[in-house]
Amino acid sequence: MSELFDAIDALVASRSPLPPPAERRRLRQAHGLTLEEVATTLDVRRATVGAWESGKTEPRPPQREPYAHLLKQLARLYPSPTTTEGGTPAIPTATAPAVPSAPAEAAPSAPAAVSAPVPAPAAAPPSPAAAPRPARGSHRPGAPRAAAHSPAPVGSGAYAHGPLLVLDADDGQQVTGYGTGGLLLDVTAKSLPALVEWALAEARVGAQKLHASGKDADPLLVLTAAACERYGLPAALSDAERSAGRLPEGHKAIKLLERAGWKLTRRGLGPWARVYRPVTGGRRQCVQLCIPSWNALDDRSWGHAATLEPAELARVLGVYAHRVMTPVGSTAVSGLELMTALNPPTRASEPDQDGKRHSEHRPGSLGTQALDPAPCEAVDGHPVLAHLPRFHIRGPEERLFEEAYDWARDLTDTECMQPHLVGIDVNLAFGAAANGAVVGLDAPPEHVTRPVFDPAVPGSWLVDLSHVDLSRVKVAKQWRDLEGGLLPSPFTPTGERPEGPAWYATPTVAYAVELGYNVVPVEAWVRPRSGRFLDGWYKRLRDAYVTTMADLGVAEKLPPGEFLEAMDGYKGRDPELGIVLDAVKMTVKGGIGKLQEKARGGGWVPGQAWPALARPTWRPDIRAAVISRARINMHRKMVALAAATACYPVAVLSDCAVYTADGPSPLNVLPYDQDGKTVPGSFRLGVSPGMVKHEGTQDVLWGVGVLEQLGAEGKVANLARYIKTGEVTARDTGE
């Protein structure tokens, strides 16, 4: 008799009720499960699960009952908003599945005002609640699963679905768009041209402008390898295509776009592509494409983002888009574009006599015209240097060398007796240096001979600073005696004392005056029309950095000990937000670097212009001013610490300084009193830009060994380069 009941149970199980195919797919994706994960659990092929979700086949025993049980459990977690009273879900065209709860994210702050009056910034785009982490099968143990309710909509209006979508295709060639806040969209487009049309007409993807005089961000579509194949693109570029950075002009996909009336920018159809039609009737039609499998997300900036599941990648890029901007290229390109987005070159004029408005220059911006640099500011090969003999090498008396520190020295006997080397690193050093920087705006530089130095005027100055003696300087307006030989010179990136006249940016010369020495420039290229062009840019990136750090458990204004404790393993608390954090930092560095983008490509010859020179944002003088301020800020802090504690750095690399200490903690280098105060004007532990964090600690014996090893090979060993991990690579040793 029991066998009969077992047979009845099996018969019932063979007809276990299942939701419609589209609902099966929605439930799986809502929980962040991949086809592979479900197939492995049920002991079937990935294609089999895909066929169940597309309706091509139906589950059969023995998998039908456990599959039905899985869907029933997921339906409890993610009820369809269109479920009927009887429990039968309707098939949605777009759903926003619930996601784990997370701290609320504040809307991005409006950019700070620049020196000239500007219109009030436009309202920031709606921001999802702290970009919750999508639930998926590979969640770390103990992490919360999705709540049993649907979240609030991502947004409203034209950009209701957020700034971007990550598109992925299943085995049945159904394409799904993964958006911010856990949004899922069915993508109906069947071809690449149709996809571009769909993005503009139906997807409701994009972002509001960051400034009232700017423009809205174009929709960004991120195509996985599977989506590439679905739309006639290779999953990966060939060696030749990778070298060229794009598909060849005759590729089938490009021809399809052209026949549909779409155009590509000069960079073509590559890892980052802009597909557009000329503006008609004041309407902008443009879509950005990002293809991670073509190396669009460089691991130097984006870590392992390219390997993430679509929902996780949508979260990472979505957080970046909401806190920084919708990415339009590498982090460097996005950093440069952010400057213009926050400080547009033009604005609408007042109505003329016919009531029409026109585009006019907006005060405080860089304008719309590219400017030639002063000869001393130009990089080698620039057209303004075409008159120089071939292979001419310019020295500091001909060229402005404002670069970050790369300086090191031997340890003293006293320092060798201490047990530890401690590295401290300045947070967002170039961003902090950009804040408040007065730079030239939209007028070419003016040449002046025998000028009187004015620290308020941005420019480049030819002046002899070799007389500045670091053993006797002013600190907080008081003369102090120091061990000058233990400090790097603030006037050269190598830290060596200058030997005669050289070109310097205004902040460097101003620091010589601050140290108590007279300066007599020989000549200068100055920019009287100036302003704080980068203030809004800094504030936007500063807020993105600090907010993301807070999400990782590192808040502002923590006492030193609590800050160091919070920093211990902070990226491991949410690796995806750790990716965002690194991308923000690279946006700062890359954006400043792009101000002096050099010629690329084998066809260029010295003396010819290259494309970057046509940009108003090709401004090596602004880059020089920011780097000068960063280096001077670093030196000022080292001098203040040395004057108070007789503690001197043994190595400095950009924004990292290494000191010997009696203990392994930065607290053994930086003195704090019971009230949490340290040496005024020196390094302070904290998360804010300009403050410092612990970079790493190694034994002094390790440092001595590295110095001896590389010194024996004729190499200069900068311990700041290795302090974080302690590893000296084969590349460093030349093996």
Side-chain angles (χ1 to χ4, degrees):
M1 185 65 70
S2 60
E3 293 178 357
L4 179 59
F5 280 102
D6 290 342
I8 292 173
D9 289 342
L11 182 63
V12 172
S14 70
R15 300 293 188 272
S16 295
L18 296 170
E23 179 65 4
R24 303 169 198 173
R25 181 164 169 269
R26 183 191 75 84
L27 291 171
R28 174 182 61 80
Q29 292 175 336
H31 205 60
L33 298 175
T34 65
L35 289 170
E36 189 68 38
E37 288 171 326
V38 175
T40 301
T41 302
L42 297 176
D43 195 23
V44 296
R45 294 188 305 113
R46 183 177 183 270
T48 300
V49 181
W52 295 346
E53 293 185 356
S54 65
K56 291 182 178 179
T57 63
E58 285 295 303
R60 301 177 64 183
Q63 285 84 16
R64 185 179 179 99
E65 184 178 16
Y67 184 52
H69 180 70
L70 168 66
L71 296 175
K72 184 178 179 180
Q73 294 291 94
L74 293 177
R76 291 175 179 171
L77 289 174
Y78 311 99
S80 171
T82 54
T83 299
T84 65
E85 292 184 3
T88 304
I91 301 176
T93 56
T95 59
V99 287
S101 57
E105 173 193 356
S109 303
V114 293
S115 57
V118 298
S127 186
R133 191 176 186 177
R136 63 185 299 267
S138 61
H139 235 48
R140 64 185 188 276
R145 287 291 185 175
H149 65 275
S150 296
V154 172
S156 60
Y159 307 133
H161 293 151
L164 58 90
L165 292 173
V166 178
L167 306 187
D168 190 33
D170 60 21
D171 288 346
Q173 296 294 291
Q174 173 60 47
V175 180
T176 299
Y178 295 77
T180 57
L183 178 78
L184 296 175
L185 288 176
D186 285 332
V187 182
T188 58
K190 304 300 183 184
S191 67
L192 189 58
L195 178 64
V196 177
E197 296 274 8
W198 175 85
L200 293 170
E202 301 178 43
R204 300 171 72 190
V205 173
Q208 296 176 10
K209 53 193 175 186
L210 298 179
H211 190 281
S213 296
K215 60 186 179 184
D216 291 356
D218 300 318
L220 172 64
L221 301 181
V222 183
L223 276 61
T224 65
C228 284
E229 294 177 340
R230 172 65 183 81
Y231 289 113
L233 300 171
L237 296 177
S238 67
D239 290 343
E241 291 165 348
R242 189 163 51 250
S243 177
R246 68 187 73 187
L247 293 181
E249 292 297 325
H251 193 277
K252 180 180 177 181
I254 297 177
K255 290 182 177 180
L256 285 175
L257 288 170
E258 292 174 344
R259 281 201 292 268
W262 294 103
K263 296 179 179 294
L264 292 164
T265 58
R266 185 165 43 204
R267 60 184 174 183
L269 187 48
W272 290 92
R274 180 173 291 172
V275 186
Y276 73 98
R277 281 179 178 148
V279 176
T280 55
R283 183 188 174 204
R284 177 181 172 86
Q285 297 184 77
C286 185
V287 174
Q288 296 278 345
L289 300 180
C290 167
I291 305 179
S293 61
W294 294 6
N295 199 35
L297 302 176
D298 188 336
D299 57 9
R300 292 170 297 181
S301 299
W302 291 100
H304 65 284
T307 66
L308 295 175
E309 292 286 340
E312 295 170 330
L313 181 56
R315 181 192 181 224
V316 167
L317 295 177
V319 172
Y320 182 90
H322 285 291
R323 295 182 180 177
V324 180
M325 68 175 295
T326 304
V328 293
S330 67
T331 50
V333 170
S334 296
L336 191 71
E337 290 290 325
L338 182 63
M339 296 179 191
T340 302
L342 292 169
N343 207 330
T346 61
R347 66 182 180 186
S349 68
E350 292 297 322
D352 60 18
Q353 59 184 5
D354 297 325
K356 295 182 179 180
R357 296 180 182 270
H358 306 276
S359 177
E360 67 177 13
H361 170 69
R362 196 179 68 78
S365 74
L366 298 185
T368 59
Q369 300 297 316
L371 301 176
D372 279 339
C376 63
E377 298 164 350
V379 297
D380 290 340
H382 192 283
V384 301
L385 304 175
H387 63 283
L388 293 178
R390 192 178 183 187
F391 305 121
H392 175 74
I393 298 177
R394 294 184 295 158
E397 72 284 353
E398 293 181 273
R399 180 180 174 184
L400 182 69
F401 285 97
E402 291 287 7
E403 301 294 342
Y405 267 130
D406 187 352
W407 168 86
R409 61 172 175 82
D410 290 330
L411 276 63
T412 65
D413 292 344
T414 301
E415 290 168 340
C416 286
M417 297 301 293
Q418 293 188 292
H420 300 287
L421 289 162
V422 179
I424 53 176
D425 180 76
V426 180
N427 303 318
L428 231 60
F430 294 124
N435 186 35
V438 178
V439 300
L441 295 177
D442 57 328
E446 301 175 6
H447 185 249
V448 184
T449 57
R450 300 293 176 184
V452 175
F453 176 68
D454 186 347
V457 176
S460 300
W461 310 77
L462 181 61
V463 59
D464 189 349
L465 300 180
S466 61
H467 63 291
V468 177
D469 183 4
L470 294 181
S471 64
R472 178 74 172 165
V473 297
K474 280 188 176 180
V475 181
K477 299 183 179 181
Q478 294 183 348
W479 285 99
R480 301 293 298 269
D481 293 324
L482 302 174
E483 292 286 342
L486 300 182
L487 283 167
S489 168
F491 309 127
T492 63
T494 62
E496 297 181 2
R497 189 168 180 168
E499 298 179 351
W503 285 99
Y504 302 100
T506 296
T508 302
V509 184
Y511 186 57
V513 176
E514 179 184 325
L515 292 175
Y517 291 85
N518 293 326
V519 296
V520 183
V522 178
E523 60 177 302
W525 290 89
V526 296
R527 293 175 168 81
R529 191 184 300 176
S530 60
R532 294 168 59 161
F533 171 73
L534 294 173
D535 276 11
W537 182 80
Y538 160 76
K539 188 176 188 303
R540 178 83 174 176
L541 290 164
R542 183 253 181 220
D543 290 348
Y545 178 82
V546 171
T547 301
T548 306
M549 287 295 288
D551 287 345
L552 290 167
V554 186
E556 290 189 277
K557 300 181 180 179
L558 289 175
E562 293 182 23
F563 168 72
L564 292 174
E565 183 178 352
M567 287 292 294
D568 186 18
Y570 69 104
K571 286 186 181 179
R573 294 170 196 145
D574 191 329
E576 290 152 27
L577 284 184
I579 294 174
V580 176
L581 186 75
D582 288 340
V584 171
K585 293 191 287 187
M586 292 302 291
T587 301
V588 174
K589 287 187 177 181
I592 296 299
K594 274 284 184 181
L595 291 167
Q596 186 181 275
E597 183 178 356
K598 296 181 180 179
R600 294 180 294 176
W604 175 79
V605 295
Q608 289 184 348
W610 57 96
L613 301 187
R615 296 193 321 248
T617 49
W618 195 86
R619 292 292 300 271
D621 58 297
I622 296 180
R623 174 187 177 273
V626 172
I627 294 179
S628 166
R629 283 170 58 90
R631 195 181 67 248
I632 294 308
N633 288 345
M634 194 80 172
H635 196 272
R636 185 182 290 114
K637 290 176 170 61
M638 292 187 292
V639 166
L641 183 63
T645 67
C647 189
Y648 295 84
V650 299
V652 184
L653 182 67
S654 187
D655 46 12
C656 175
V658 176
Y659 287 84
T660 59
D662 291 329
S665 169
L667 293 175
N668 298 114
V669 175
L670 310 178
Y672 279 85
D673 60 22
Q674 294 181 347
D675 297 327
K677 296 181 180 180
T678 187
V679 177
S682 185
F683 300 105
R684 293 174 54 205
L685 289 167
V687 73
S688 298
M691 300 177 77
V692 298
K693 60 181 179 293
H694 186 201
E695 179 70 2
T697 295
Q698 305 295 334
D699 295 337
V700 165
L701 290 177
W702 163 87
V704 172
V706 172
L707 292 173
E708 291 178 350
Q709 176 187 4
L710 297 184
E713 298 170 2
K715 295 181 172 62
V716 177
N718 189 325
L719 297 179
R721 181 172 282 110
Y722 317 110
I723 193 71
K724 187 171 186 175
T725 64
E727 297 179 0
V728 181
T729 65
R731 179 180 178 182
D732 297 318
T733 61
E735 297 178 0

